[in-house]
């Protein structure tokens, strides 16, 4: 059976209706080239009659050597990433800025698939630039895959990559500010719940050898900031920034098997979700917040479900960070020289920190 001719309007049919060549009709839509206003109006009138809205923008971008797509490497499984309000707010700012330039977004998990294997999208998907939202690791296979394809890269909260703009936080100073707040309240036994260290997932206490393995920049910076003020009595590594991991860590740190005179009187967590989990664990153990144990976090999230408590937290400009990442990507695509940015953070006291308990 023969195929029925499509009734979909095309540029060729517009040109035929207007009585001009296809190349002249194309010039009318491009807004450039030697074409009179009368001819342009004739082409647009024919397009209106046929219901033709213009050439395929993707095809036009590809002819210019562009896809109109920004690859955004989110650094985790999508299902878990979208449980984290930090990731959601950063992506919100990023997508909004890219949308103003008509750029699309391709979300790519940056998870470790083993043996330096990366998501196939990194090897094959069309993209004009890639944004590594949560930075790069040492000998990072994701970065290597993009560099093999000569895809320009924007780095968020990671180590500097030559030729790539960096959007980072002053999180070392912020972590130090949180600990100084606790020390000022009289706390000397301060525990730490950390973000993941690098590839793979691990949960448990950290010794000196393991401390040297911290490869993720946010983790390394916040650990360094804490140690600028005190040496934690214990550091507990978590596999992801989720409430349940903070709860599990704090249950071990504050458990009833820990002698009362050795139990930490304060916990500083690398994220608000980990800190919220610590608050929940303390409540479940019958400890009062902040009378028996103080908890401080990092991010500045609004967590109404933690009521009546409001976390003491180092606030970071999440949406603004996403916007800065997006603007850096736009500048790279446009051939402009993007600049690296360091965003300030600041401690906002809540109800979860108070004076150290008397012993």
């Amino acid at each position: 059976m023969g195929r029925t001719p499509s009734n979909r309007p095309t540029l060729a049919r517009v040109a035929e209706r207007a009585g001009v060549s296809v190349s002249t009709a194309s010039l009318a839509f491009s807004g450039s080239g030697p074409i009179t206003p009368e001819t342009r109006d004739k082409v647009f009138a024919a397009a209106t009659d046929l219901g033709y809205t213009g050439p395929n923008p993707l095809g036009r971008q590809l002819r210019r050597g562009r896809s109109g797509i920004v690859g955004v490497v989110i650094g985790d499984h999508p299902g878990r990433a979208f449980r984290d309000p930090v990731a959601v707010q950063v992506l919100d700012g990023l997508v909004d800025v890219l949308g103003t330039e008509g750029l699309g977004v391709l979300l790519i998990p940056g998870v470790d698939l083993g043996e330096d294997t990366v998501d196939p999208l990194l090897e094959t998907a069309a993209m004009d630039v890639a944004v590594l939202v949560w930075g790069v690791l040492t000998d990072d296979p994701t970065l290597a895959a993009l560099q093999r394809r000569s895809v320009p890269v924007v780095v968020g909260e990671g180590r500097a990559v030559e030729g790539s703009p960096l959007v980072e936080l002053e999180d070392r100073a912020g972590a130090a500010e949180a600990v100084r707040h606790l020390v000022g309240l009289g706390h000397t036994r301060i525990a730490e719940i950390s973000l993941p260290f690098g590839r793979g997932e691990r949960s448990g206490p950290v010794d000196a050898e393991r401390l040297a393995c911290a490869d993720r920049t946010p983790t390394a910076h916040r650990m360094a900031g804490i140690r600028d003020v005190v040496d934690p009595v214990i550091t507990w590594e978590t596999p992801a920034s989720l409430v349940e991991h903070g709860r599990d860590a704090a249950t071990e740190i504050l458990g009833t098997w820990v002698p009362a005179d050795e139990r930490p009187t304060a916990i500083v967590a690398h994220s608000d979700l980990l800190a919220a989990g610590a608050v929940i664990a303390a409540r479940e153990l019958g400890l009062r917040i902040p009378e028996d144990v103080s908890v401080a976090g990092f991010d500045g999230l609004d967590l109404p479900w933690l009521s009546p408590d409001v976390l003491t937290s180092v606030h970071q400009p999440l949406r603004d960070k996403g916007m800065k990442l997006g603007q850096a990507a736009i500048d790279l695509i446009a051939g402009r020289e993007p600049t690296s940015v360091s965003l300030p953070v600041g401690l906002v006291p809540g109800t979860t920190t108070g004076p150290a308990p008397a012993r």
Side-chain angles (χ1 to χ4, degrees), residues 51 66 105 116 142 185 202 214 218 227 249 266 270 275 281 297 299 308 319:
R66 285 176 44 193
V105 171
D116 289 338
T142 294
L185 291 169
R202 180 184 180 277
R227 284 158 182 78
H270 286 194
D299 288 325
R319 181 177 169 80

Side-chain angles (χ1 to χ4, degrees), residues 132 136 143 147 153 155 158-166:
L132 307 180
V136 294
L143 177 64
Q147 289 179 329
V153 169
V155 180
R159 63 181 175 83
V161 175
E162 186 176 356
S164 299
L166 173 65

Side-chain angles (χ1 to χ4, degrees), residues 40-297:
R40 182 176 292 109
D41 290 343
K42 188 188 303 183
V43 171
F44 287 165
T48 299
D49 290 344
L50 292 170
Y52 180 73
T53 57
N56 185 322
L58 178 58
R60 184 165 60 247
Q61 289 164 340
L62 291 174
R63 286 191 294 274
R64 294 174 180 171
R66 285 176 44 193
S67 67
I69 300 296
V70 174
V72 177
V73 183
I74 56 178
D76 206 342
H77 299 281
R80 192 158 67 182
F82 286 111
R83 291 177 58 196
D84 185 352
V86 172
V88 171
Q89 290 184 45
V90 171
L91 289 174
D92 186 45
L94 172 61
V95 170
D96 270 4
V97 167
L98 295 178
T100 63
E101 298 293 324
L103 295 167
V105 171
L106 175 66
L107 294 180
I108 305 172
V111 295
D112 182 11
L113 301 179
E115 298 182 359
D116 289 338
T117 303
V118 298
D119 191 289
L121 289 172
L122 289 166
E123 302 278 12
T124 61
M127 64 185 84
D128 299 322
V129 63
V131 178
L132 307 180
V133 178
W134 305 118
V136 294
L137 302 176
T138 303
D139 300 322
D140 195 311
T142 294
L143 177 64
L146 293 167
Q147 289 179 329
R148 281 195 298 271
R149 300 179 59 194
S150 299
V151 175
V153 169
V154 177
V155 180
E157 287 193 79
R159 63 181 175 83
V161 175
E162 186 176 356
S164 299
L166 173 65
V167 177
E168 61 181 349
L169 292 177
E170 297 174 3
D171 49 354
R172 178 170 183 167
E177 184 180 5
V179 178
R180 281 195 296 270
H181 168 72
L182 293 170
V183 170
L185 291 169
H187 295 277
T188 57
R189 293 193 301 281
I190 300 173
E192 174 185 30
I193 300 177
S194 85
L195 288 167
F197 276 32
R199 296 192 185 95
E201 297 189 355
R202 180 184 180 277
S203 177
V206 172
D207 59 18
E209 182 178 0
R210 180 61 183 168
L211 280 175
C213 298
D215 196 19
R216 292 193 181 277
T217 300
T219 305
H221 280 185
R222 294 171 203 188
M223 289 175 61
I226 291 168
R227 284 158 182 78
D228 286 342
V229 184
V230 298
D231 285 323
V233 295
I234 185 172
T235 294
W236 197 279
E237 180 184 355
T238 63
S241 178
L242 295 175
V243 173
E244 56 263 37
H245 297 311
R247 175 182 175 273
D248 292 345
T251 298
E252 296 293 333
I253 291 170
L254 302 172
T256 55
W257 51 87
V258 180
D261 60 348
E262 296 179 12
R263 188 177 65 215
T265 63
I267 293 175
V268 58
H270 286 194
S271 79
D272 279 355
L273 292 187
L274 293 174
V279 169
I280 292 170
R283 291 174 180 170
E284 292 174 344
L285 291 167
L287 298 173
R288 298 168 300 162
I289 301 289
E291 292 83 1
D292 297 318
V293 60
S294 289
V295 178

Side-chain angles (χ1 to χ4, degrees), residues 318-342:
L318 295 167
R319 181 177 169 80
D320 189 43
K321 179 165 65 177
M323 294 175 70
K324 292 292 192 295
L325 289 167
Q327 187 57 55
I330 291 168
D331 288 344
L332 282 177
I333 292 171
R336 295 189 291 267
E337 186 71 27
T339 57
S340 293
V341 179
S342 183

